[in-house]
């Protein structure tokens, strides 16, 4: 028997929206014109999910991650991935302490609230795999010791989709553990001009203040899980995910973990936008970020330029939205 | 979604002539084949006259500035008189207008569908259908979609008529000229109504010149005809016909089995030369499972209408899905993907779902009076109103796509019909809260919604400052949709 679908009150949803607006506005002090991406990163955080930011160099992936972390007032660490990065460089190591005669655990950079894994596809598969447990179970195991990660925890990984020489593409199992994959995109002409003006004398990131803290985020995470999802919308999510498995161009469709991710993400998005309930529009908006990276497209379809993005668009434009029938 | 392009008067006239011609062509073919096949003498030209009368009446009322609803009501008020007159002229010359038995003929007509076919039934059913077509044409807005829909429906009906004729061994000497006439009218109507929003390379070259589009269309059809002539050899057609005949045998058996559920009426004497009264079925006969005697006749009428409606629905859906499938194969946008094989199944499933929902609602009302929290009377009202709005939008030429959310559809409607922006937005927001948030509307909202329903039905634009837009400003709850 599932959890009862208890609805949020207007006051509770207002709390989520107010906090979200505060954070998004604060990030907007540094990032120009990236409100939706910021909102979606916040959505992932409120769902205790991880984010893969995939875009070309120089569009602000790392700056966005750092700005968000600073706005949240949480502990932040950055891991710059290279082929010689070892799993122990990420998780930490047990070091022999001569004084006590025992082993002492030296935590790695993964032990933080917000972890930025820069250029994740430059790390070897062995190191990438070390992140699996952290991403899914929010704990790490070093030797015989299992250490829970601090809460809230979010891993933001970035990768460059263009420059592939000397990289190790992420395995499907790892991609599936990212709740959302986001693209930042180039700024418009006006936005790019605003960026130049804003960064002319000082880096606004240096002066940025936190607008929330870990405790508030944990409370918001709990509230977001109570955003009402009508059974018809829930069925719509399932229909979309199942359609990815039945699509002719797809070799491997989205997993049940994808359904769960999408379900949680739409709840958080509705909360962030100040609603007590989820709309099919939320599902449509998040279908691409939540499902796109989980599909394996058939080779022949790829040759016909049927990308995962196009397939998701097809599916979203095909599956009937739950609306009264005339 | 493509925006409807307004047509000038001459193009509307050409489109109307084309649609009328299409409808008359396939109805004529159908009546000819069915009449001969069932050995019922039907004076087809006289029956077709009903179409012209209905259309003329509707057009006159429209010219007088009446609303579509008024035209329909007025038209259907005249319909019994027109049908009775037709029967008096064709079957019962000399009958008096005060003779009540003539009125009973109308009921007998539908009564006979499940049991036997007679001239009165055939003429009444045909006249009713033609009356509906004529009234509909008079109240419809001429668009490319309308012409295409008429073309595809008629194409299916034409094929069905030819099939009926073939199975009943009816010689149809006029089949070839009618087919040419039919395709020509379809192309003419499509060219005249599509001239301003033509898509595709060949049509876009002719944009603005409907003659050019017509020539291009005719050229394409001739090429297709040449190809079809090479592909469909007489041997292949014979083989297909044999298959269809075998299939028709199965359908006949199924229909016999269905008809067997209802005991046949005692043989009626031929329609008397009035003023003799038409005899009623023998009092001693009835349903074997003990249906009350008074219910037998209405049940048979309902059954007849149901079977006829189901057949029409099936033809409509199959042809329309076939057309959509062709559109998808041709890479045209806007086509919702729905497997052809499931089209009729989906319709039947939808019908049964509605019946079940209706029965469940009745049971709930008759029961303890408890309602699900998300299905309160208020929520049901909002949902019904939203359905009304969907129908209104579709009639205005902007049907909702299956994959469109209420807010996406709202944008389409607001973009196309900006005068109704406030009403459409208000209804959509109320519906979204009721449907996805299980939040019933307040009393004030309900009152406003009822007022909007009246306005939409009358086609009235809301007055500035007094509509729901002003009221919405005072509301605390929003959908937060961006």
């Amino acid at each position: 028997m599932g959890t009862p679908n208890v609805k949020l009150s207007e006051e509770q949803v207002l709390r989520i929206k107010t906090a979200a607006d505060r954070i998004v506005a604060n990030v907007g002090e540094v990032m120009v014109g990236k409100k939706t991406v910021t909102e979606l990163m916040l959505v992932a955080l409120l769902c205790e999910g991880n984010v893969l930011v995939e875009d070309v160099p120089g569009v602000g992936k790392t700056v966005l991650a750092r700005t968000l972390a600073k706005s949240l007032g949480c502990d932040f660490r950055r891991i710059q991935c290279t082929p010689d990065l070892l799993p122990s460089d990420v998780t930490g190591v047990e070091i022999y302490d001569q004084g006590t005669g025992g082993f002492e655990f030296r935590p790695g950079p993964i032990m933080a609230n917000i972890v930025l894994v820069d250029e994740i596809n430059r790390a070897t598969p062995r190191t990438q795999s070390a992140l699996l447990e952290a991403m899914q179970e929010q704990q790490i195991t070093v030797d015989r010791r299992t250490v829970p990660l601090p809460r809230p925890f979010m891993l933001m990984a970035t990768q460059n989709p263009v420059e592939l020489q000397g990289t190790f593409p992420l395995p499907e199992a790892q991609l599936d553990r990212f709740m959302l994959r986001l693209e930042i995109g180039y700024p418009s002409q006006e936005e790019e001009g605003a960026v130049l003006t804003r960064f002319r004398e000082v880096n606004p990131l240096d002066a940025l203040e936190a607008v929330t803290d870990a405790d508030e985020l944990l409370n918001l995470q709990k509230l977001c899980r109570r955003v009402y999802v009508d059974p018809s919308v829930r069925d719509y999510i399932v229909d979309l995910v199942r359609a990815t498995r039945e699509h002719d161009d797809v070799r491997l469709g989205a997993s049940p973990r994808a359904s769960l991710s999408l379900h949680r993400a739409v709840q958080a998005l509705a909360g962030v936008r100040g609603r007590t309930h989820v709309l099919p529009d939320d599902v449509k908006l998040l279908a691409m970020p939540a499902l796109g990276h989980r599909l394996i497209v058939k080779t022949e379809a790829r040759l016909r330029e049927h990308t995962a993005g196009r397939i998701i668009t097809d599916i979203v434009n095909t599956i009937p939205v739950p609306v009264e029938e005339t | 979604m493509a925006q409807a392009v307004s047509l000038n008067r001459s193009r509307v006239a050409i489109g109307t002539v084309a649609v009328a011609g299409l409808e008359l062509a396939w109805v004529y073919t159908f009546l000819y084949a069915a009449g001969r096949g069932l050995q019922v003498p039907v004076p087809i030209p006289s029956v077709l006259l009903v179409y012209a009368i209905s259309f003329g009446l509707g057009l006159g009322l429209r010219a007088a500035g009446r609303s579509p609803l008024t035209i329909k009501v007025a038209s259907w008020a005249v319909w019994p008189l027109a049908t009775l007159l037709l029967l008096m002229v064709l079957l019962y010359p000399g009958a008096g207008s005060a003779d009540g038995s003539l009125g009973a003929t109308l009921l007998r007509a539908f009564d006979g569908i499940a049991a036997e076919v007679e001239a009165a039934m055939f003429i009444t059913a045909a006249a009713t259908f033609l009356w509906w077509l004529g009234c509909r044409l008079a109240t419809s807005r001429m668009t490319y979609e309308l012409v295409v829909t008429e073309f595809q429906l008629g194409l299916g009906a034409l094929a069905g008529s030819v099939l009926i004729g073939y199975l009943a061994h009816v010689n149809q000497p006029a089949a070839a000229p009618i087919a040419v006439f039919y395709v020509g009218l379809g192309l003419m109507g499509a060219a005249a109504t599509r001239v301003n929003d033509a898509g595709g390379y060949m049509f876009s070259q002719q944009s603005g010149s409907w003659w050019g589009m017509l020539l291009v269309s005719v050229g394409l059809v001739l090429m297709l005809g040449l190809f079809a002539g090479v592909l469909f050899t007489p041997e292949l057609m014979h083989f297909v016909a044999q298959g269809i005949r075998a299939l028709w045998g199965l359908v006949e058996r199924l229909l016999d089995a269905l008809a067997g559920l209802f005991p046949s009426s005692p043989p009626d004497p031929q329609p008397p030369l009035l003023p003799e009264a038409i005899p009623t079925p023998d009092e001693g006969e009835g349903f074997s499972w003990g249906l009350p005697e008074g219910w037998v006749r209405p049940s048979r009428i309902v059954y007849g209408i149901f079977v006829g409606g189901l057949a029409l629905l099936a033809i409509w859906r199959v042809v329309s899905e076939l057309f959509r499938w062709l559109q998808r194969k041709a890479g045209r946008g806007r086509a919702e993907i729905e497997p052809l094989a499931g089209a009729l199944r989906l319709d039947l499933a939808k019908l049964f779902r509605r019946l079940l929902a209706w029965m469940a609602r009745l049971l709930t009302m008759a029961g303890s009076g408890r309602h699900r929290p998300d299905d309160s009377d208020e929520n049901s009202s909002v949902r019904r109103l939203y359905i009304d709005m969907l129908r209104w939008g579709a009639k205005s030429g902007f049907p909702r796509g299956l994959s469109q959310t209420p807010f996406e559809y709202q944008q389409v409607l607001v973009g196309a019909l900006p005068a109704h922006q406030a009403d459409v937005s208000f209804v959509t927001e109320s519906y979204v809260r009721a449907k996805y948030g299980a939040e019933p509307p307040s009393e004030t909202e309900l009152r406003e919604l009822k007022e909007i329903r009246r306005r939409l039905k009358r086609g009235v634009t809301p007055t500035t400052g007094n509509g729901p837009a002003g009221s919405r400003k005072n509301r605390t709850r929003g959908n937060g949709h961006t």
Side-chain angles (χ1 to χ4, degrees), chain A residues 69 75 79 86 103 148 182 185 218 238 262 264 284 301:
Chain A
D75 196 11
I79 304 169
L86 296 175
F103 282 90
L182 305 175
L218 288 173
V238 175
L262 185 54
R264 284 186 185 164
K284 279 187 158 188

Side-chain angles (χ1 to χ4, degrees), chain B residues 104-444:
Chain B
T105 309
L106 286 176
L107 286 180
R108 272 174 54 80
F110 285 110
D111 188 11
I113 287 181
E116 59 176 322
V117 178
E118 60 181 40
M121 181 275 281
F122 203 84
I123 292 171
T124 307
T128 307
F129 185 64
L130 281 163
W131 190 270
W132 172 67
L133 284 179
C135 176
R136 196 183 58 143
L137 183 62
T139 53
S140 295
R141 183 169 165 231
M142 187 49 57
T143 58
Y144 170 71
E145 282 75 16
L146 178 71
V147 176
V148 170
T149 308
E150 288 302 320
F151 184 78
Q152 54 176 293
L153 172 69
L155 206 58
L158 262 180
S161 306
V162 172
L163 179 65
I164 289 172
Y166 176 79
L167 294 170
H169 304 287
V170 173
N171 184 24
Q172 291 171 309
I178 282 183
V180 173
F181 174 70
Y182 185 86
V183 174
L185 281 176
L187 293 175
M188 186 179 82
T193 51
R194 189 83 199 281
V195 64
N196 289 337
D197 60 346
Y201 174 75
M202 293 188 79
F203 285 119
S204 62
Q205 297 302 308
Q206 311 301 328
S207 184
S209 159
W210 75 273
W211 276 107
M213 289 184 66
L214 183 58
L215 286 175
V216 169
S217 309
V218 169
L220 287 173
V221 168
L222 286 176
M223 282 167 64
L224 276 175
L226 190 66
F227 177 70
V230 173
L231 190 66
F232 298 106
T233 58
E235 291 77 19
L236 178 66
M237 293 304 291
H238 182 66
F239 180 71
V240 171
Q242 278 184 324
I244 291 173
R245 195 187 285 276
L247 198 64
W248 181 247
L250 288 175
V251 173
E252 274 186 330
R253 271 193 237 166
L254 182 67
L255 288 176
D256 285 346
L258 274 174
L261 295 174
F262 297 85
S264 58
S265 299
D268 288 340
Q270 285 300 308
L273 292 174
L274 295 185
E276 273 183 40
I278 292 173
T280 54
D282 193 344
E283 295 290 325
E285 291 288 331
F287 282 92
S288 57
W289 56 74
L291 201 65
E293 188 59 34
W295 291 20
V296 173
R297 208 177 153 90
S299 302
R300 290 170 60 84
I301 293 171
V302 169
Y303 172 73
I305 293 171
F306 176 73
V307 169
L310 208 60
L312 273 178
L313 180 74
I315 292 172
W316 171 270
R317 285 295 300 191
V318 170
V319 175
S320 120
E321 290 309 319
L322 187 62
F323 189 77
R324 286 188 189 181
W325 178 77
L326 286 171
Q327 275 189 318
R328 285 199 297 278
K329 289 293 168 193
R332 290 262 308 276
R334 294 181 53 200
E336 299 290 350
I337 293 179
E338 186 179 303
L340 176 62
L344 181 59
R345 181 177 57 78
L346 285 178
D347 270 344
L348 288 176
K350 189 171 155 184
L351 179 70
F352 285 123
R353 270 206 305 275
R354 281 190 181 178
L355 278 174
L356 283 176
W358 181 66
M359 286 166 68
R361 206 158 50 232
L362 278 182
L363 284 175
T364 311
M365 285 168 67
S368 60
R370 282 186 299 131
H371 298 285
R372 287 188 304 156
D374 61 340
D375 198 19
S376 62
D377 288 341
E378 292 83 3
N379 275 357
S380 302
S381 306
V382 177
R383 291 177 184 201
R384 280 199 299 275
L385 175 59
Y386 189 72
I387 290 173
D388 284 349
M389 194 183 84
L390 290 179
R391 288 181 181 150
W392 169 79
K395 276 186 183 174
S396 306
F398 304 96
R400 188 187 77 84
L402 283 178
S403 62
Q404 272 179 325
T405 67
F407 282 118
E408 287 169 349
Y409 184 54
Q410 176 196 335
Q411 286 174 4
V412 172
L413 279 185
V414 166
L417 308 162
H420 293 277
Q421 177 175 3
D423 286 347
V424 168
S425 305
F426 189 77
V427 173
T428 305
E429 286 177 15
S430 300
Y431 169 74
V432 161
R433 275 200 308 278
K435 168 83 178 169
Y436 306 118
E439 293 175 22
S442 66
E443 282 295 318
T444 321

Side-chain angles (χ1 to χ4, degrees), chain B residues 418-476:
Chain B
H420 293 277
Q421 177 175 3
D423 286 347
V424 168
S425 305
F426 189 77
V427 173
T428 305
E429 286 177 15
S430 300
Y431 169 74
V432 161
R433 275 200 308 278
K435 168 83 178 169
Y436 306 118
E439 293 175 22
S442 66
E443 282 295 318
T444 321
E445 272 183 84
L446 268 181
R447 274 198 300 276
E448 284 174 4
L449 288 169
K450 283 175 187 166
E451 183 57 33
I452 290 173
R453 177 193 292 230
R454 276 194 287 274
R455 269 206 298 273
L456 288 181
K457 284 195 171 176
R458 290 199 309 263
V460 176
T461 309
T463 52
T464 314
N466 197 24
S471 313
R472 198 163 52 250
K473 284 177 190 165
N474 300 326
R475 287 163 53 191
T476 52

Side-chain angles (χ1 to χ4, degrees), chain A residues 7 10 228 230 233 273 275-281 284 316-326, chain B residues 336-337 350 353-354 383 386-387 390 402-403 405 407-408 431-432 435-437 439 477 479 481-482:
Chain A
K7 289 178 70 176
E10 294 285 339
Y228 177 72
D230 189 71
V233 178
R273 293 192 168 176
R275 268 184 276 110
T276 55
H277 53 272
V278 170
L279 299 178
D281 303 82
K284 279 187 158 188
V316 164
N317 289 334
T318 303
I319 300 294
V321 170
V323 176
E324 309 301 309
E325 292 168 343
T326 55
Chain B
E336 299 290 350
I337 293 179
K350 189 171 155 184
R353 270 206 305 275
R354 281 190 181 178
R383 291 177 184 201
Y386 189 72
I387 290 173
L390 290 179
L402 283 178
S403 62
T405 67
F407 282 118
E408 287 169 349
Y431 169 74
V432 161
K435 168 83 178 169
Y436 306 118
E439 293 175 22
R477 290 183 301 170
N479 274 309
H481 175 75
T482 51

